[in-house]
Amino acid sequence: MKQVILTGDRPTGRLHVGHYAGSLRERVKLQNSGSFDEIYIMIADAQALTDNAEHPEKVRQNIMQVALDYLSCGIDPEKSTIFIQSMVPQLTELSFYYMNLVTVSRLQRNPTVKSEIQMRNFEASIPVGFFCYPISQAADITAFGATAVPAGEDQMPMIEQCREIVHKFNAVYGETLTEPQIILPENASCCRLPGIDGKAKMSKSLGNCIYLSDEPKEIERKVMSMFTDPNHIKVSDPGRVEGNPVFLYLDAFCEPEDFSQFLPEYSSLQELKEHYQRGGLGDIKVKRFLSQVLQSRLQPIYQRRKEWEQRLPEVYEMLYQGSMAARERAEQTLEAVRHAMKIDYFTQSSLLQ
Ligand code: ATP
Ligand code: MG
């Protein structure tokens, strides 16, 4: 069977280090592994509109920003097809048919949607489009015959929902759709990076992010302002590393060689953590280290972004070509779906049979 990746991001803001740890870094690795026949990376503008209906301009502006973030992280348009969701109308038609295979109560049980509804204060009035976005995500995944979806932990319920739709569709209409697997980051601390404010998830919509495009000075400012253990007041106090964002970021980004380069008094992250837990290690020192680690990881990304910013017409052309290629691939699935459902009325005069 063909090995195919589908993954993407909502153009609701520039991409942040949570995206990098949770999904982008893995995507680049998978892209360069040579184990995949096709890779589709979607800028999910239609999904972004489900909770930004009044701000299409924000979504439009961020399409280019997300494309620039992809290219700066090492997504290579020669190997991966980058496209814009709404430029592939076949996805909307697929969603419409899948909606008949899912119940309202099943959507209501989705824990990610539940917490996102809460986060956006949508409890009293949820836009129907937002409520249904897990179905549209199933359309995105199945349209490309994706076998793998590299994503953060918050996407697990979406993949589960998609698999259920695939089973249901195939059971009712015959074997047509491919079942996807989620690929989570190997490093568990990357599955869900918290915000710099200590909230459970770094998220564009919460404004608690370190962006991949942040200037080095800005990264330093944000790291120095990060939430840590609130009970670690004096340097001599014992501190908690569990759930402490500064240490969670180190878990996600620190490499063994960072110690010899930036903090030679310690030989490993374990040793640094033990000192913090015992007491006697100040937050400022750990934050300075984290800032250096992050800057060293993000520096090449920042540099490449500056270069791509000078080549916007090429980025535009790449998005156009990618969207057209995606449209062609999705059309094949749509035709297979219509055929399986016997609603391909005008192929081989099927309406007359
Ligand atoms: P929004 O607030 O608009 O939903 P977001 O920051 O949650 O934006 P998405 O575009 O929804 O970002 O997510 C894109 C991908 O990045 C998904 O695979 C998601 O799992 C991953 N991701 C997002 N935030 C994090 C995070 N804090 N830690 C790890 N992975 C993340
Ligand atoms: Mg999200």
Side-chain angles (χ1 to χ4, degrees), residues 121-168:
N121 296 320
F122 274 168
E123 284 100 335
S125 54
I126 312 164
V128 174
F130 184 81
F131 185 61
C132 297
Y133 92 75
I135 301 176
S136 113
Q137 238 170 274
D140 305 332
I141 295 168
T142 53
F144 298 94
T147 49
V149 181
E153 192 186 50
D154 60 325
Q155 294 304 308
M156 279 170 79
M158 306 304 161
I159 307 300
E160 200 39 52
Q161 175 74 79
C162 176
R163 290 160 64 91
E164 281 175 35
I165 290 174
V166 169
H167 288 163
K168 185 89 198 253

Side-chain angles (χ1 to χ4, degrees), residues 100-228:
N100 304 326
L101 305 176
V102 181
T103 63
V104 171
S105 64
R106 173 65 185 89
L107 283 177
Q108 277 167 336
R109 278 202 308 276
N110 184 314
T112 301
V113 176
K114 260 194 205 162
S115 72
E116 288 180 337
I117 285 173
Q118 225 173 20
M119 206 171 96
R120 289 164 176 75
N121 296 320
F122 274 168
E123 284 100 335
S125 54
I126 312 164
V128 174
F130 184 81
F131 185 61
C132 297
Y133 92 75
I135 301 176
S136 113
Q137 238 170 274
D140 305 332
I141 295 168
T142 53
F144 298 94
T147 49
V149 181
E153 192 186 50
D154 60 325
Q155 294 304 308
M156 279 170 79
M158 306 304 161
I159 307 300
E160 200 39 52
Q161 175 74 79
C162 176
R163 290 160 64 91
E164 281 175 35
I165 290 174
V166 169
H167 288 163
K168 185 89 198 253
F169 189 100
N170 289 349
V172 177
Y173 306 115
E175 221 32 59
T176 313
L177 302 175
T178 309
E179 200 178 308
Q181 304 278 351
I182 190 166
I183 304 187
L184 290 171
E186 272 168 39
N187 178 344
S189 50
C190 294
C191 285
R192 181 182 302 233
L193 209 67
I196 54 171
D197 55 358
K199 289 217 175 91
K201 184 172 170 279
M202 181 179 288
S203 156
K204 297 181 229 106
S205 308
L206 292 175
N208 57 5
C209 311
I210 295 177
Y211 293 101
L212 296 174
S213 48
D214 276 345
E215 302 260 354
K217 275 248 154 321
E218 185 66 4
I219 297 176
E220 168 144 6
R221 191 191 63 74
K222 287 183 177 171
V223 171
M224 295 320 274
S225 75
M226 266 174 81
F227 178 90
T228 61

